[in-house]
């Protein structure tokens, strides 16, 4: 964007009657625009790759493209210096880039958490469907993930030391997620064969390693007011690029030779039902196979 980036001046740092004196500069906004472009380009690539597969095999392409599309909208918002609220800092630092000895209000991007509340469950869905986990386990893990994100948001907008209580709740929920990804799902994927196990291991280790860095970023940024908002932009931006577009590329590459049926995912075209249960076959009235109420042939 360079000299043409006027988002800071156009949108300003005053929201809800408070002005953030600890906020991104043009450099931070430029970086956010860069991440926006990367996320949107990745979305186009993932959608394009989906057309190399039959529609019944595109579920992972669609989920992965949705992740980067949502992220591109969130980063567009942050690059525009929107989607934030000023929160008074708990910790006064000598560094003038984080308010100096005068303290003040830090720019907290709540839109980042809106992004995560949608994209992290989709990331987990990508992973846990790859492992072939049963739906109750997947849903419970996603619930823990949502608790992790919401408590992170609440902690970020709390000005007092009580923010660390929410941080603790979030970390506890994250440990449940990490256990499922590193242990339960890994064993499940291993039982499904070497190709599935290898793909899951690469993507699972990649994701959890990166996710362990997010609480550190939170502690340095929203929590502790240690690093400047521009540095925050770089820290979170690099993590998100690695956790979304790069993760998506690794996942889709691993899935190139995996049939979703092997994972327990059976998606049929409308005409497939007739081929499964031809009309000329004899059916026993009232006898079902337990799947979507279809009758069992005899």
């Amino acid at each position: 964007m360079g000299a043409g980036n006027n988002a800071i001046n156009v949108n300003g740092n005053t929201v809800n009657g408070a002005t953030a004196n600890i906020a991104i500069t043009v450099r931070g906004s430029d970086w956010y625009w860069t991440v926006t472009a990367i996320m949107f380009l990745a979305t186009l690539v993932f959608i394009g790759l989906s057309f190399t597969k039959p529609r019944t095999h595109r579920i992972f392409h669609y989920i992965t493209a949705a992740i980067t599309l949502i992220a591109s909208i969130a980063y567009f918002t942050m690059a525009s210096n929107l989607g934030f609220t000023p929160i008074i800092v708990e910790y006064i630092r000598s560094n003038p880039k984080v308010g100096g000895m005068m303290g003040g209000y830090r720019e907290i991007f709540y839109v980042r958490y809106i992004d995560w509340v949608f994209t992290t469950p989709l990331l987990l869905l990508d992973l846990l469907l790859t492992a072939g986990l049963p739906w109750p386990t997947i849903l419970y893990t996603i619930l823990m993930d949502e608790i992790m994100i919401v408590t992170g948001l609440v902690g970020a907008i709390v000005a007092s030391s009580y923010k660390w209580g929410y941080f603790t709740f979030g970390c506890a929920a994250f440990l449940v997620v990490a256990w499922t990804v590193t242990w339960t799902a890994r064993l499940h994927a291993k039982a499904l064969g070497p190709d599935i196990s290898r793909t899951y291991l690469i993507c699972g280790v990649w994701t959890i390693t990166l996710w362990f860095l997010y609480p550190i970023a939170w502690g340095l940024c929203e929590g502790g007011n240690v690093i400047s908002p521009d540095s925050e932009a770089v820290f979170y931006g690099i993590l998100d690029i690695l956790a979304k577009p790069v993760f998506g590329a690794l996942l889709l590459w691993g899935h190139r030779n995996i049939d979703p049926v092997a994972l327990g995912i059976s998606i049929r075209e409308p005409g497939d039902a007739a081929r499964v249960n031809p009309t000329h076959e004899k059916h026993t009235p009232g006898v079902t196979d337990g799947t979507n109420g279809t009758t069992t042939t005899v």
Side-chain angles (χ1 to χ4, degrees):
M1 292 297 172
N5 183 1
N6 202 34
I8 306 295
N9 294 328
V10 170
N11 295 313
N13 293 330
T14 301
V15 177
N16 299 325
T19 299
N21 60 305
I22 308 169
I24 61 170
T25 65
V26 173
R27 289 189 296 273
S29 178
D30 286 344
W31 168 247
Y32 278 137
W33 283 120
T34 300
V35 180
T36 301
I38 292 171
M39 293 293 182
F40 190 70
L41 178 61
T43 303
L44 296 179
V45 171
F46 296 151
I47 289 294
L49 289 173
S50 73
F51 289 101
T52 66
K53 296 281 189 177
R55 288 194 299 175
T56 54
H57 288 55
R58 294 178 185 175
I59 183 169
F60 291 99
H61 294 77
Y62 290 159
I63 293 173
T64 307
I67 292 167
T68 51
L69 176 60
I70 294 168
S72 68
I73 296 170
Y75 273 93
F76 172 87
T77 305
M78 291 186 284
S80 303
N81 203 39
L82 298 169
F84 74 89
T85 189
I87 300 295
I88 193 166
V89 296
E90 178 188 1
Y91 299 99
I92 307 300
R93 307 292 183 185
S94 59
N95 184 354
K97 292 184 178 180
V98 290
M101 297 309 296
M102 297 298 293
Y105 288 83
R106 186 181 179 104
E107 186 178 54
I108 301 296
F109 283 106
Y110 59 79
V111 72
R112 191 190 310 280
Y113 295 87
I114 296 175
D115 167 353
W116 290 342
V117 86
F118 288 105
T119 57
T120 56
L122 291 174
L123 281 161
L124 287 173
L125 197 59
D126 258 346
L127 271 177
L128 302 184
L129 285 178
T130 298
L133 279 183
W135 277 107
T137 305
I138 293 175
L139 294 176
Y140 181 73
T141 306
I142 288 175
L143 172 63
M144 292 296 104
D145 172 74
E146 296 286 14
I147 291 173
M148 176 182 73
I149 301 303
V150 173
T151 52
L153 171 59
V154 175
I157 61 177
V158 168
S160 70
S161 60
Y162 283 79
K163 67 171 71 224
W164 298 104
Y166 291 100
F167 177 78
T168 303
F169 282 122
C171 287
F174 170 58
L175 291 177
V176 175
V177 173
W179 173 262
T180 301
V181 172
T182 59
W183 186 257
T184 308
R186 180 180 59 83
L187 294 179
H188 213 278
K190 185 177 180 180
L192 296 178
D195 288 344
I196 295 171
S197 180
R198 180 171 55 252
T199 298
Y200 178 81
L201 189 62
I202 291 171
C203 296
V205 170
W206 181 267
T207 297
I208 287 300
T209 300
L210 291 171
W211 281 24
F212 266 106
L213 298 176
Y214 280 91
I216 297 173
W218 192 96
L220 294 174
C221 303
E222 298 99 321
N225 190 39
V226 176
I227 64 176
S228 71
D230 282 351
S231 298
E232 170 188 331
V234 174
F235 199 160
Y236 278 129
I238 291 174
L239 285 178
D240 278 352
I241 289 170
L242 295 174
K244 292 170 182 173
V246 177
F247 162 84
L250 291 172
L251 183 89
L252 295 183
W253 175 258
H255 273 275
R256 68 194 185 281
N257 295 320
I258 296 175
D259 190 331
V261 173
L263 306 173
I265 303 172
S266 180
I267 302 172
R268 298 185 305 190
E269 293 279 11
D272 291 344
R275 288 192 290 273
V276 172
N277 292 312
T279 55
H280 67 270
E281 288 186 308
K282 180 181 177 182
H283 294 74
T284 302
V287 177
T288 66
D289 64 359
T291 307
N292 299 324
T294 56
T295 57
T296 303
T297 58
V298 293

